[in-house]
């Protein structure tokens, strides 16, 4: 196997892995403030891509307008999901809330199917230009956008959690909601903010990936699953772990398809995930949990 | 006493007459199972539309044997289990005389035993050869078998000096069936398969497989799958700068494929397809010409979407059943079956159907033409 092939597998893997990472980041944010897994996260990713496609198709908007508009709309929907479904269930056990998010995901997927139809759609790439040769491998300009935006989101999150009072308040909610509330932090607002952020991050992942991988009403299922796996691999609750987990899964899939067999692509990634979890149940970057006795 | 008898006889006669009259007005019920929703919706939706359109047309023309027809459509949601429930309802509750569909091979194989048991003829709109081989008494199908498509591709490749191919197939039923035929027919056609790669039908990145193929001695790639996978492959191929010819299956023969892949990425892709997508380029004298243009025009006018060969499969299935009812002069399931099997030289959108007791597909290689995607359109190759 020549080195150029190996490089190509890495490049493809990192591109796809970056979106798994962004999805995983969305899971992490909501988990950190509410302690639940939001199974509608994959649908935010789908909506990001689909709304951009249709604001161009139906609204006749140019790409640079359609993309931010779609991200904003999905962010607003994230707030809506919290206000309409999560907040009324406050105080209910986490399991009930998780089931609510599954319901929301089915609703969003079904709604998207009815409104946008069942076809697959393509979004034009953000910048024109042919693939860039890179040591025998080739790199799409869109891949640079994908990786660049993922890194930018990660840095922005790091700054937000470390430097801003809202970010710190959100972390406080993650540690102990009751204590945070007693300290004067409005936990409800923090939960809403976390839903808005995770919808935003998911939608971003959706729009930047749509030019490469195409989008349809049902892409959220698989992306959600992979994002969730990335989250677990990186250690639930750790934003850096989430993105790293996404990249690792993306690269493993690509290498697995290239060096072993493309038929077992998905299986390879998940087998490695399982093996890792046996060795390190708290994920690669997670702290071993010892509380809740 | 005598008067009483006469009276009751008259009553009975009247009742029979009345009943007979009601019976004659009763429409001929034909069942249909299509994947209108779910992953195979791209097949089921045009099929359902076409069946409904043809139903109206037949009824406008006075129906069959003086009776109207009624097409009872069930959606199997691309799920074979639901197809089985639907076939039970069609046979037992709706009492249909024949069934068209399902859209997918999986659903067709799942309901085949049911129609055999219920003795109701089925004309499937799914492609795999397993549906009609071995022959089941009551099961027919309209789409061309994969084997005909594979033969066309290999013949074209051979003619252009290609002897080593890489195959890249989807891991679903359609792709696996194609993979089997591609491997089986290779040697006979004088072509060697030098790489055998697979992709998931929902995969979004095929760079790994293509990179691997790039490093082999392959002179062409043959890809077997249905959208969106092949569209991603067309994009990735361009990205990797692979210049060897790319053959696709008839599974992508719709404008949707060009739209998804992007004009510049689809340029030059070769595939076997039914004449429906190139209806304008078919010679005026060809027996299909009039039929194709009429169907395409009416479909596009009514549903405002371009016609696809998938809808054509349903058109053919319903036309075949209607023709069998007419020529057999009976709307009884067993008679329709017998009459179907005697179909000879019947031109429909897919090709010329000639069913025999040993061939329930009835098409020849002629049902396919090789087309090339040129400037976002389809060009029929001579």
């Amino acid at each position: 196997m020549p080195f150029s092939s190996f490089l190509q597998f890495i490049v493809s893997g990192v591109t796809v892995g970056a979106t798994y990472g962004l999805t995983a980041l969305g899971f992490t944010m909501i988990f950190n403030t509410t302690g639940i897994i939001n199974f509608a996260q994959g649908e935010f990713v789908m909506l990001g891509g689909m709304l951009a496609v249709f604001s161009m198709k139906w609204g006749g908007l140019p790409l640079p307008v359609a993309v931010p508009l779609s991200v904003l709309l999905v962010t607003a929907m994230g707030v809506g999901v919290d206000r309409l479904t999560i907040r009324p269930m406050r105080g209910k056990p986490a399991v009930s809330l998780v089931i609510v998010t599954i319901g929301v995901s089915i609703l969003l997927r079904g709604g998207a199917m009815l409104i946008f139809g069942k076809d697959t759609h393509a979004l034009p790439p953000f910048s024109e230009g042919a693939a860039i040769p890179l040591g025998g491998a080739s790199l799409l300009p869109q891949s640079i956008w994908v990786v660049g935006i993922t890194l930018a989101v990660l840095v922005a999150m790091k700054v937000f959690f470390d430097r801003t009072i809202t970010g710190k308040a959100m972390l406080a909610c993650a540690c102990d909601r009751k204590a945070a509330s007693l300290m004067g932090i409005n936990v409800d607002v923090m939960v809403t903010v976390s839903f808005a952020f995770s919808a935003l991050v998911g939608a971003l992942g959706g729009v930047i990936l749509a030019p490469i991988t195409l989008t349809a009403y049902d892409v959220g299922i698989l992306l959600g699953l992979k994002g969730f796996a990335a989250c677990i691999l990186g250690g639930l609750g750790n934003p850096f772990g989430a993105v790293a987990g996404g990249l690792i899964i993306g690269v493993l899939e690509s290498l697995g398809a290239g060096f072993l067999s493309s038929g077992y692509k998905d299986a390879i990634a998940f087998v490695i995930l399982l093996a890792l979890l046996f060795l390190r149940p708290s994920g690669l970057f997670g702290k071993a949990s010892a509380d809740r006795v | 006493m005598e008067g009483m008898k006469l009276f009751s006889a008259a009553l009975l006669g009247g009742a029979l007459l009345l009943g007979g009259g009601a019976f004659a007005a009763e429409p001929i019920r034909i069942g249909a199972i299509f994947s209108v929703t779910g992953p195979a919706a791209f097949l089921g939706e045009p099929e359902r539309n076409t069946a409904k359109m043809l139903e109206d047309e037949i009824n406008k023309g006075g129906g069959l044997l003086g009776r109207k027809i009624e097409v009872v459509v069930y959606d199997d949601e691309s799920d074979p289990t639901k197809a089985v429930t639907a076939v039970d309802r069609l046979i037992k509750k709706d009492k249909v005389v024949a069934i068209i569909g399902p859209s997918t091979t999986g659903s067709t194989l799942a309901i085949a035993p049911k129609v055999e048991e219920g003795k109701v003829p089925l004309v499937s709109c799914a492609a795999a050869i397993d549906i009609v081989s071995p022959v089941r008494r009551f099961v027919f199908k309209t789409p061309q078998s994969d084997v005909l498509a594979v033969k066309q591709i290999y013949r074209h490749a051979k003619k252009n000096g290609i002897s080593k191919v890489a195959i890249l197939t989807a891991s679903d039923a359609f792709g696996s069936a194609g993979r089997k035929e591609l491997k089986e027919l290779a040697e006979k056609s004088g072509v060697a398969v030098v790489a055998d790669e697979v992709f998931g039908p929902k995969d979004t990145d095929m760079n790994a497989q293509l990179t691997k193929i790039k490093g082999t001695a392959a002179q062409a790639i043959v890809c077997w799958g249905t959208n969106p996978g092949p569209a991603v492959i067309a994009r990735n191929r361009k990205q990797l700068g692979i210049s060897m010819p790319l053959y696709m299956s008839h599974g992508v023969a719709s404008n949707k494929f060009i739209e998804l892949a992007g004009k510049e990425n689809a340029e030059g892709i070769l595939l076997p397809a039914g004449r429906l997508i190139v209806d304008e380029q078919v010679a005026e004298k060809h027996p299909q010409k009039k039929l194709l243009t009429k169907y395409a025009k009416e479909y596009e006018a009514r549903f405002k979407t371009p016609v696809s060969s998938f809808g054509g499969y349903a058109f053919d299935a319903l036309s075949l059943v209607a023709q069998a009812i007419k020529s057999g002069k009976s709307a009884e399931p067993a008679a329709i079956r017998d009459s179907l099997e005697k179909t000879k030289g019947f031109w429909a959108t897919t090709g010329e159907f000639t069913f025999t007791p040993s061939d329930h597909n009835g098409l020849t290689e002629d049902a396919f033409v090789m087309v090339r995607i040129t400037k976002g359109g389809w060009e029929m190759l001579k």
Side-chain angles (χ1 to χ4, degrees):
Chain A
M1 185 69 55
F3 179 70
S4 64
S5 300
F6 178 74
L7 200 63
Q8 186 66 54
F9 297 145
I10 300 285
V11 167
S12 310
V14 166
T15 309
V16 179
T19 41
Y20 296 163
L22 279 180
T23 318
L25 213 49
F27 277 115
T28 307
M29 300 195 84
I30 291 182
F31 178 79
N32 274 352
T33 48
T34 61
I36 64 167
I37 299 292
N38 169 30
F39 278 101
Q41 191 60 33
E43 303 333 305
F44 290 151
V45 180
M46 174 273 290
L47 283 171
M50 290 295 269
L51 286 177
V53 167
F54 281 91
S55 46
M56 287 181 75
K57 216 172 236 177
W58 292 347
L61 299 173
L63 186 73
V65 182
V67 167
L69 177 73
S70 138
V71 173
L72 276 179
L73 281 176
V74 178
T75 308
M77 287 170 91
V79 174
V81 166
D82 171 51
R83 298 300 285 263
L84 298 175
T85 67
I86 301 297
R87 195 173 288 187
M89 295 282 288
R90 185 176 41 183
K92 296 278 176 347
V95 178
S96 312
L97 290 171
V98 169
I99 290 169
V100 166
T101 67
I102 294 176
V104 168
S105 88
I106 294 171
L107 179 78
L108 291 177
R109 200 182 315 136
M113 183 187 88
L114 286 176
I115 297 170
F116 303 128
K118 285 161 278 192
D119 278 336
T120 308
H121 299 276
L123 196 67
F126 291 7
S127 48
E128 293 297 320
I132 303 155
L134 184 85
S138 64
L139 178 67
L140 276 182
Q142 188 68 23
S143 299
I144 301 175
W145 279 100
V146 170
V147 176
I149 289 180
T150 307
L151 287 178
V153 167
L154 202 55
V155 170
M157 270 188 71
K158 176 88 184 147
V159 171
F160 174 73
F161 280 123
D162 284 1
R163 301 282 160 83
T164 69
I165 195 77
T166 320
K168 286 187 173 157
M170 278 173 79
L171 283 181
C173 292
C175 292
D176 189 331
R177 296 183 62 178
K178 199 159 198 176
S181 160
L182 289 173
M183 289 299 124
I185 294 170
N186 189 336
V187 177
D188 280 345
V189 170
M190 290 305 134
V191 171
T192 308
V193 170
S194 74
F195 265 88
F197 272 174
S198 66
L200 180 130
V201 169
L204 262 179
V207 283
I208 56 177
L209 198 65
I212 302 183
T213 65
L214 314 178
T215 185
Y217 78 96
D218 58 353
V219 296
I221 307 173
L222 201 64
L223 276 170
L225 193 67
K226 296 271 171 73
F228 182 60
C231 213
I232 301 287
L233 182 64
L236 199 54
N238 178 339
F240 277 89
V243 173
L247 291 176
I248 292 171
I249 289 185
V251 169
L252 281 181
E253 270 183 7
S254 176
L255 288 177
F259 287 110
L260 297 165
S261 159
S262 42
Y264 297 110
K265 194 183 106 175
D266 291 334
I268 293 164
F270 285 113
V271 163
I272 293 177
L273 172 69
L274 277 179
L276 253 170
L277 286 181
F278 276 122
L279 298 174
R280 276 189 67 94
S282 51
L284 279 180
F285 308 98
K287 292 184 196 78
S289 64
D291 54 357
R292 306 239 169 103
V293 183
Chain B
M1 202 56 196
E2 202 66 10
M4 193 69 178
K5 246 185 192 163
L6 208 72
F7 177 69
S8 48
L11 208 68
L12 194 71
L16 270 176
L17 248 160
L18 269 174
F23 183 71
E26 182 98 334
I28 299 175
R29 287 190 155 175
I30 297 168
I33 303 172
F34 295 128
S35 304
V36 185
T37 57
F42 71 99
L43 300 169
E45 202 159 333
E47 286 166 356
R48 194 255 332 254
N49 290 349
T50 303
K52 281 289 167 194
M53 190 174 96
L54 200 55
E55 177 192 17
D56 290 350
E57 197 186 305
I58 292 174
N59 285 336
K60 241 182 250 158
L64 295 171
L65 311 176
R67 289 161 67 183
K68 296 237 179 252
I69 65 161
E70 184 189 342
V71 180
V72 185
V73 184
Y74 288 123
D75 175 13
D76 71 5
E77 299 166 36
S78 313
D79 177 359
T81 324
K82 301 229 164 76
V84 172
T85 322
V87 82
D88 275 335
R89 270 168 71 185
L90 284 173
I91 296 176
K92 292 188 183 129
K93 189 174 144 266
D94 301 317
K95 305 225 183 298
V96 297
V97 296
I99 299 171
I100 59 172
S103 314
T104 63
T105 298
S107 288
T108 305
L109 293 177
I111 69 166
K114 292 270 180 189
V115 297
E116 290 285 296
E117 196 189 300
K119 300 203 185 330
V120 174
L122 174 81
V123 185
S124 170
C125 296
I129 189 129
D130 306 358
I131 296 169
V132 290
S133 161
V135 172
R136 293 175 177 86
R137 230 175 112 70
F138 284 86
V139 182
F140 299 80
K141 79 177 180 101
T142 55
Q144 309 93 328
S145 290
D146 303 335
V147 54
L148 301 178
V150 172
K151 278 186 187 160
Q152 282 271 10
I153 291 179
Y154 280 161
R155 187 189 302 146
H156 185 271
K158 201 71 195 139
K159 214 168 69 191
N160 289 285
I162 292 164
S163 58
K164 294 189 187 83
V165 297
I167 63 173
L168 181 52
T169 56
S171 60
D172 55 10
F174 180 73
S176 319
R179 177 166 173 262
K180 201 174 123 216
E181 298 295 345
L182 283 165
K183 286 167 83 172
E184 267 173 20
L185 287 171
E187 206 178 326
K188 236 194 286 167
S189 317
V191 174
V193 174
V194 294
D196 173 11
E197 293 296 322
V198 178
F199 61 91
K202 287 258 152 214
D203 281 3
T204 52
D205 181 285
M206 277 58 142
N207 274 323
Q209 290 94 323
L210 286 169
T211 305
K212 217 167 149 187
I213 289 172
K214 203 176 165 187
T216 67
Q219 293 162 300
I221 304 170
V222 184
C223 164
W224 216 266
T226 46
N227 286 333
V232 176
I233 288 170
R235 286 166 164 250
N236 289 165
R237 165 177 172 257
K238 180 87 175 181
Q239 178 199 344
L240 294 173
I242 296 176
S243 57
M244 61 177 119
L246 174 59
Y247 289 93
M248 289 273 173
S249 73
H250 49 302
V252 300
S254 67
N255 289 333
K256 191 75 205 168
F257 170 72
I258 302 180
E259 185 198 321
L260 284 179
K263 258 188 207 175
E264 63 288 355
N265 301 321
E267 183 71 26
I269 288 175
L270 298 153
L271 62 141
R275 290 191 177 77
L276 193 55
I277 53 164
V278 286
D279 65 305
E280 279 155 19
Q281 294 164 52
V282 173
E284 282 302 330
K285 270 181 278 166
H286 196 275
Q288 270 176 297
K289 177 75 179 183
K290 247 172 77 187
L291 185 77
L292 294 175
T293 336
K294 181 168 175 283
Y295 169 54
K297 211 184 269 166
E298 283 174 4
Y299 187 92
E300 280 160 19
R302 177 156 167 186
F303 299 106
K304 309 276 179 274
T305 51
V307 74
S308 71
S309 39
F310 315 127
Y313 298 149
F315 183 93
D316 296 359
L318 191 51
S319 307
L320 280 163
V321 169
Q323 180 270 143
I325 292 175
K326 247 191 287 181
S327 68
K329 298 193 177 54
S330 165
E332 288 306 310
I336 296 175
R337 190 217 82 91
D338 294 342
S339 175
L340 262 177
E341 204 168 65
K342 288 190 200 112
T343 303
K344 213 175 157 202
F346 183 75
W347 280 102
T349 66
T350 312
E352 186 184 18
F353 289 91
T354 301
F355 290 136
T356 65
S358 61
D359 183 4
H360 278 192
N361 185 205
L363 293 167
T364 61
E365 260 174 85
D366 179 61
F368 278 123
V369 286
M370 283 303 285
V371 298
R372 180 198 284 127
I373 299 176
T374 311
K375 296 194 190 91
W378 309 91
E379 183 196 352
M380 193 166 112
L381 301 179
K382 289 282 162 305

